[in-house]
Amino acid sequence: MNLTAAIFMGLSWACVLALTGFCFWTVFRVDRKGNDTRRRSRQK
Amino acid sequence: MSAAQTTRRSREVWGTRIGVILAAAGNAIGIGNLLRFPGQAAQNGGGAFMIPYVLSLLLFGLPMMWIAWTVGRMGGRWHHGTTPGIFDRLAGGRPVGRYLGVIGVALPLTFVLYYAYIEAWCLGYAWFSFTGVYADPAIDLNTFYQEFVGNAVTSDYFSGLGTALVFLLITIGVNIFVLYRGVTRGIELLAKIAIPLLLLFCVFLSFRVLTLGERAGTVWDGLNFLWTPDFSALNHPTVWMAAAGQVFFTLSIGFGSLECYGSYLESDDDIALTGLTTASVNEFVEVIFGSMIAIPAAAVYYGADKVEQIASQGTYTIGMVSMPTILRDVGGIEIFGTMWFLLLFFAAFTSSVAVAQPVMSFLQDEAGLSRASATGALLMLWLLGSFAVVFFYKFGALVEMDFWAGTIGLVVFAAIEVVLFAWIFGIDKGWDELHHGAHIRIPRLFKLTMKWVTPPLLIAVLVGFYLGAPSQLLDPLPSIHAGVLDRGGVAGGFSFEGPRNAPERQESAALENEIRTAVTATGRDLRAWVRVTVHPAAPPSLSQASGDPDLLTTVGVQKLFRWVQLQHLTYEPPPGRAARSVDVLLAVEGRYRRLAIWITRLAMFAFTIGFGLMIWAIWRGRREETEHPPLMAAGGA
């Protein structure tokens, strides 16, 4: 695989992985703190 | 609040946040992620394609996605799951809002009618793979595919549309079953099963492709081809339009389905993070798995120099012809072929239930039907519409519907939505609504983008799509098809290379015009048969022609022969067999499409008018109830 292709593929993959990682990390962090509004309303 | 509103039944809500994320991701992840994206990237600058792709994502993909969630959640609060009701409120009760919102119901209905057929192909091929129906290498998968879907002039593998219709019935049946079970017990449960399975299949298939070894090429050749940037491609507007189109399709913007899913949220549920997370899952599947399976596999099997040609043959040829050919020849079609087509089926299944849900929601929320009645009404519409698509497929009905509903319609609907949201409802109120209950803060730059950049950009995309459409889509000319008859009696593969250079292409086009003129003049399909002797190492020779006199006398036998020669029919004997000449009969068919295409257009128009009339009647009924409330309701209020 040539270097330019590797850079473009690596950058694209890194961006996607970072975005997905950030989103799920935030979702689980928020929900673990009990901020999931639906779960909260169901617990009431 | 009117009597009608006070008596409206309570709406369902999603069970869990992960369920919402997976369901919305399932809506977005479709066949396009795994086939369309790599095909588009391969043909439009390779790695450089990612530049207009990311810009499109930032300038209208993500803004429109957030707008759809916001609009949907507000709609849920107003007891509306579809855009006629939601746009009515956004437009401050002006009738134009609800009538424009009709597009958000007619469009998804049109879409599911033809998408279900594509979904049925995937299911059918999963079954064919599992049972080894096409495991024999002598079976030509291009002809197999064309005959299965009903686009062939031959009938070597399928004698009619019966098999396709059986799989279509099963597909519609499972969709209707999920929709009948409702949002939580149906759609959410399906997403929780299908999306993890889909990801698992992606991982297995990527691993299989990585371990294909070296044949005509390697996996690295495919990745090189896909990712090496060709910056000169960025000078072509078509590349930018292709990226914009891909972002539209991949995020399922403009279908009315995200708005509908959003309406099943509670009013203080987060949408900013949930929306971004669904988009990220979609991009994960598209950019990572979309680039790891089909194109690298094609590079291994056919060689990197053939990949562009394969990619240019279109999404379905990659998925239904190239991939099964590769997986069959490397072995294990029963496992990996089944996995590949189940992957496509699940991707399509989660999208089709999402796009059908606005119709269900409309029938329940606005027309006041029970879930069972709404499901029954949708089933009737779906069966009638999809069966028509199957029978009109060979005349181009599916392509026509995909152009107007799945290409132009999406952008029109999105443009209307963004103008209503940012300019009529007001971007300040909309922005506050988007952040109500939000678990992340969206950069304010997106607020400016929603108001000032996204609307003109969508109008530019719309104009680009229209101008870039093939002229045949706007003016339904007859189409011309050729195929080898009696294939079962001749072992080996046949293919049409097509004209080899510009003069040949011009000559072929001129002859096709003459055939089209003959078909148009008679107003019906015209057929001819030509006897061809094909040798693997020599040009084909033609000896006899027979067929419809209207074709043979108008165009002339010599010109028909010349057209067949220009298609460069090639023959490849089965592995281990010596090269020899074979005699085959070639069928040439000119299809009269105009009538079928205009019926298709009228049907799509009729859906829109039909929903518009329903809206008129429903709102009239509500106004009358408000002005003259029934005694019981008045007393209760």
Side-chain angles (χ1 to χ4, degrees), chain A residues 1-2 4-5 8-9 12-13 16-17 19-20 22-24 26-28 30-31 35-38 41-42, chain B residues 14-17 20 47 50 223-224 227-229 231 266 268-269 273 276-277 280-281 284 287 291-292 439:
Chain A
M1 194 174 184
N2 70 50
T4 331
F8 262 78
M9 184 175 134
S12 304
W13 283 35
V16 167
L17 285 170
L19 178 67
T20 315
F22 162 77
C23 287
F24 275 99
T26 315
V27 165
F28 289 124
V30 168
D31 288 358
N35 286 335
D36 185 340
T37 47
R38 186 171 21 261
S41 66
R42 283 186 162 182
Chain B
W14 295 103
T16 58
R17 163 134 73 173
V20 184
M50 291 309 285
L223 291 173
N224 266 339
W227 289 104
T228 302
F231 291 108
E266 289 184 15
D268 53 354
D269 277 344
L273 178 60
L276 189 64
T277 310
S280 76
V281 177
F284 180 83
V287 176
S291 65
M292 270 310 294
H439 290 156

